[in-house]
Amino acid sequence: MADQKPLSSTPEKAVEAGTNTTTSPQDDVVLVEAKHAADTEHEMTLLRAIKLYPKAIGWSVLLSSTLIMEGYDLALLGSLYASPVFNEKFGEFDPEKGKYVVSAAWQSGLSNGARAGEIFGLILAGWAADRIGYRNTTIVSLVLMIAFIFVLFFAPNVKVLVVGEILCGIPWGAFQSVTPAYASEVAPMVLRPYLTTFINMCWVIGQFFAAAVNKGSVGRTDQWAYRIPFGVQWVWPIPILAGLVFAPESPWWYVRHNRREEAKASLLRLTSRNQPGFNVDETLAMIEHTNELEKQLKEGVTFRDCFKGIDLRRTEIVVGIWLVQTLGGQNLMGYFSYFLTQAGMDPSNSFSLSMGQYALGMVGTAGSWFLMSRVGRRRIHFSGLCAQFCLLIIVGGLSFGGNKASVWAIGGVLIAFTFVYDFAVGPVTYCLISELSSTRLKAKTIVLARAAYNASNIFVNVMTNYQLSSTAWNWGARTAFFWAGSCLLSAIWVFFRLPEPKGRTYAELDILFEKKVAARKFAKTKVDPFDLQHHGEKKLSLEEMQSHEAKETKA
């Protein structure tokens, strides 16, 4: 079979954008430097990247840890529904059950209040991140977070509690959009999957702490049974805020705002000094080349531009990936304790199982790092959905057992479901949405996708609350059959629409989308984003580039 000719961006695109296809020697110098930097990234090993970018890893981890708070609170609510004191304070007496419960309607209000606030926060963050940067947007959000926790802590009734959830949702929404964008821009290609999927680890850490705190306070019979879990949320924002004051902004953000010297300074702050083989000017040239390439393909950077031309497909894929998260049955994980308590398990035992569930989730996320270095993101995501479908069918089948043994079995299968989700679909989602959106529209694409995720979660939360609530449909474990159906539809969409970005630079992905390569052919299609044919009749060699630089130095 003949070798496939690499794809490159076409001269027609340059003409359409109104650019001159004849460039200066200085432009060719930048292009050659960019190509050398891209080749260096392709050849860079994980160990080499860790030695060169330890500061970038640290700053990315610090920024991503803001999502521990969201993971904590969303798991906290589901767990607090199993707390007798919380139900007595914020619920109503159910004569049939002989105890206090928070109605399905108010459960939906609490869960969806946070989601509504997150949608608003996402939109604000998409606007703010473009203007003041990822770092400053996160700092402002942390200050708001510290203030809004007071509303949850001192809530006298369920109505004020809903208001608190809406307000806290605003900074959570900002964290959701900023963290994956920042993680994907401050480090090289080989570190990208590790830093973006660490975001999922932060979610799981938050969920684990929620179960641990609830287990410690569930035995209390006073107001501190629910106030302690709410108050623990102050533990995270203060130290994170103190650290972020000193964090560097993304160099990509500076380049998009034509602030080259600050971009260079940011790159130097993100990397180790005196590392052989690293040239900050070449890395900066690669960022500038990718930015200019995307400007040729499309000029705009507004929300409307996410739905134009080749970016319409990219937006559909990124939005679809996050919708799959809500429709794959993962909502049952957040209601784990409540689910088992409704099935007849003691609340203390359900919290113990929850801790085991989330601990296994952390192991799964760490395992995904090993998996992604060897297997493509598309295969991991699709295989994970297929496994989730099978486990949901098993959970639904166990619902017909009707005894204590079947309840424990359901708990065991849900723990296995958590491991599969956090080993495959959960972490790889953050990697995919960061890689498949264009760099110039990344923040806005993530905002749209996450807003769609939160909107779909409103539907999912309403459905789940009514499906599980003893005062509503009371489906119990048979709820799993419903989500198995939506999981199957999600797997079909992923098979036909999700491309493979593993081992690709952002410029290579831009060309693959420009050429409308089919999703299932992404992995095998060769691309060359540095084909200089459309930049002029003559290409500079490395020797000519060095000669040109020498002449400039003498001048």
Side-chain angles (χ1 to χ4, degrees):
M1 181 182 293
D3 290 339
Q4 184 183 19
K5 183 179 178 181
L7 298 177
S8 63
S9 48
T10 60
E12 288 81 2
K13 282 289 180 183
V15 174
E16 287 172 9
T19 59
N20 189 351
T21 57
T22 302
T23 60
S24 67
Q26 183 62 42
D27 291 330
D28 280 345
V29 168
V30 171
L31 203 63
V32 173
E33 285 183 336
K35 181 174 180 7
H36 189 262
D39 291 340
T40 301
E41 277 211 11
H42 275 294
E43 296 166 2
M44 189 177 292
T45 63
L46 177 60
L47 183 60
R48 164 73 175 146
I50 292 172
K51 288 180 179 179
L52 182 57
Y53 286 88
K55 298 174 188 176
I57 295 171
W59 291 122
S60 177
V61 166
L62 181 66
L63 202 77
S64 297
S65 61
T66 55
L67 284 173
I68 291 176
M69 291 178 285
E70 187 193 8
Y72 176 89
D73 187 84
L74 295 181
L76 179 67
L77 274 178
S79 298
L80 282 176
Y81 296 146
S83 168
V85 180
F86 178 85
N87 286 326
E88 186 174 349
K89 173 68 176 179
F90 297 105
E92 299 173 348
F93 187 76
D94 182 4
E96 292 184 10
K97 292 284 184 178
K99 60 183 180 181
Y100 285 89
V101 295
V102 178
S103 68
W106 278 115
Q107 286 184 30
S108 297
L110 287 166
S111 301
N112 296 334
R115 298 298 183 188
E118 286 171 4
I119 293 173
F120 185 59
L122 280 161
I123 295 170
L124 281 178
W127 174 85
D130 271 349
R131 285 159 179 77
I132 63 174
Y134 302 131
R135 169 183 166 274
N136 290 332
T137 300
T138 306
I139 288 174
V140 172
S141 300
L142 284 168
V143 173
L144 292 175
M145 187 78 245
I146 294 169
F148 293 155
I149 292 171
F150 280 97
V151 181
L152 295 178
F153 189 80
F154 292 106
N157 54 55
V158 70
K159 299 179 184 67
V160 176
L161 198 61
V162 170
V163 172
E165 289 293 328
I166 294 171
L167 292 174
C168 286
I170 295 172
W172 289 336
F175 301 148
Q176 289 172 4
S177 67
V178 168
T179 49
Y182 186 85
S184 66
E185 291 185 2
V186 297
M189 183 171 58
V190 67
L191 285 177
R192 215 186 293 153
Y194 299 96
L195 295 183
T196 52
T197 55
F198 179 76
I199 297 170
N200 189 75
M201 176 74 84
C202 292
W203 265 72
V204 181
I205 291 171
Q207 292 169 332
F208 176 83
F209 277 123
V213 171
N214 265 319
K215 180 172 173 56
S217 59
V218 71
R220 301 186 67 97
T221 56
D222 56 10
Q223 62 179 344
W224 297 104
Y226 55 87
R227 283 198 171 178
I228 288 175
F230 284 136
V232 166
Q233 292 178 98
W234 276 308
V235 170
W236 287 282
I238 297 173
I240 295 173
L241 181 60
L244 279 183
V245 171
F246 305 99
E249 185 53 78
S250 162
W252 290 80
W253 185 87
Y254 282 128
V255 167
R256 289 193 290 271
H257 289 77
N258 300 314
R259 294 161 65 174
R260 192 178 195 279
E261 289 306 312
E262 289 163 289
K264 183 175 180 178
S266 176
L267 274 171
L268 290 172
R269 288 193 62 195
L270 291 167
T271 53
S272 299
R273 298 291 176 91
N274 303 320
Q275 283 289 323
F278 174 72
N279 187 317
V280 66
D281 291 311
E282 289 181 348
T283 303
L284 186 56
M286 180 182 67
I287 296 173
E288 291 176 321
H289 171 262
T290 304
N291 187 59
E292 289 302 317
L293 176 63
E294 292 189 2
K295 284 171 71 175
Q296 285 186 14
L297 299 179
K298 72 262 177 205
E299 287 294 329
V301 289
T302 66
F303 279 110
R304 185 180 298 176
D305 292 299
C306 294
F307 301 97
K308 292 181 179 179
I310 59 174
D311 281 305
L312 175 60
R313 181 187 176 193
R314 299 179 86 154
T315 301
E316 178 240 323
I317 292 170
V318 175
V319 170
I321 292 166
W322 242 329
L323 288 179
V324 164
Q325 269 203 329
T326 67
L327 300 175
Q330 60 94 9
N331 51 301
L332 293 180
M333 298 189 306
Y335 288 83
F336 185 78
S337 297
Y338 175 75
F339 181 78
L340 293 180
T341 303
Q342 290 296 101
M345 186 175 287
D346 178 76
S348 181
N349 288 334
S350 69
F351 288 136
S352 297
L353 272 181
S354 288
M355 291 174 63
Q357 174 196 24
Y358 297 130
L360 199 58
M362 284 187 271
V363 174
T365 303
S368 72
W369 296 338
F370 174 83
L371 191 64
M372 275 190 290
S373 65
R374 289 161 174 78
V375 184
R377 332 271 198 250
R378 170 187 162 88
R379 181 177 297 180
I380 295 171
H381 198 276
F382 178 72
S383 301
L385 281 175
C386 292
Q388 286 179 202
F389 169 76
C390 295
L391 290 171
L392 288 169
I393 292 296
I394 293 172
V395 169
L398 287 169
S399 66
F400 297 101
N403 53 44
K404 207 161 190 176
S406 64
V407 173
W408 279 95
I410 289 169
V413 176
L414 285 178
I415 288 176
F417 182 95
T418 301
F419 175 79
V420 169
Y421 173 81
D422 288 314
F423 186 60
V425 176
V428 80
T429 293
Y430 289 96
C431 185
L432 287 167
I433 59 101
S434 302
E435 292 179 322
L436 294 175
S437 51
S438 70
T439 59
R440 287 175 61 79
L441 290 171
K442 187 186 294 290
K444 289 182 170 61
T445 307
I446 291 175
V447 163
L448 289 171
R450 193 69 191 187
Y453 168 90
N454 288 330
S456 68
N457 250 323
I458 294 175
F459 163 77
V460 169
N461 286 332
V462 170
M463 290 295 295
T464 306
N465 287 329
Y466 277 89
Q467 287 166 346
L468 295 180
S469 177
S470 60
T471 61
W473 301 343
N474 198 24
W475 286 7
R478 289 186 291 276
T479 301
F481 284 131
F482 179 89
W483 300 112
S486 62
C487 184
L488 178 60
L489 294 175
S490 299
I492 294 170
W493 178 86
V494 165
F495 181 79
F496 288 104
R497 297 297 294 166
L498 181 62
E500 177 54 70
K502 184 177 184 291
R504 301 289 195 184
T505 64
Y506 288 123
E508 289 170 345
L509 289 169
D510 288 338
I511 294 173
L512 286 166
F513 278 108
E514 178 203 346
K515 297 297 182 180
K516 300 179 181 179
V517 176
R520 284 174 286 174
K521 295 181 179 179
F522 255 57
K524 296 180 180 179
T525 302
K526 295 181 181 180
V527 292
D528 181 11
F530 302 100
D531 185 345
L532 306 181
Q533 291 175 359
H534 66 286
H535 287 270
E537 294 182 359
K538 182 181 178 182
K539 297 185 281 186
L540 284 181
S541 65
L542 183 59
E543 291 76 13
E544 289 173 317
M545 180 189 78
Q546 291 169 341
S547 174
H548 176 75
E549 288 177 338
K551 289 177 182 177
E552 279 195 336
T553 303
K554 289 179 181 178

